[in-house]
Amino acid sequence: SPWSLALDSPEPQLPNEHTLHFPLDWKAYIAECETQLLTKALHFSRYNQRMAAQSLGISYDQLRGLLKKYKLSTRARAG
């Protein structure tokens, strides 16, 4: 389940009702949620994109599209 990714470690976390500020910018909120889920799935899968896509319940092509949309790195950061 994709939500189990958020439970494996404390970072990054999805915004919750205590972190929301109104008025809410819906598009920015959704972008932030998607970005955090993508980042977490990539980290969890050790940057194996097919595994990340499967863990999120989306196709590999959908994952690639979202990575491009949000300009996310497809490689682990050194350090």
Side-chain angles (χ1 to χ4, degrees):
S1 147
W3 296 110
S4 66
L5 295 174
L7 300 176
D8 290 336
S9 69
E11 292 296 329
Q13 301 230 346
L14 291 175
N16 62 40
E17 66 275 3
H18 301 294
T19 61
L20 294 178
H21 301 284
F22 291 92
L24 181 65
D25 180 347
W26 181 256
K27 288 182 181 182
Y29 175 76
I30 295 301
E32 180 66 23
C33 289
E34 286 183 333
T35 300
Q36 289 185 17
L37 279 173
L38 291 165
T39 301
K40 187 70 175 176
L42 285 168
H43 177 75
F44 177 77
S45 68
R46 295 187 176 136
Y47 288 82
N48 178 316
Q49 294 176 26
R50 292 197 186 275
M51 187 184 294
Q54 184 178 14
S55 72
L56 292 170
I58 61 176
S59 72
Y60 172 76
D61 291 330
Q62 288 173 308
L63 176 76
R64 295 289 298 160
L66 288 168
L67 294 174
K68 184 176 180 181
K69 176 181 178 179
Y70 295 119
K71 299 177 177 129
L72 295 175
S73 174
T74 57
R75 297 176 188 245
R77 284 187 245 154

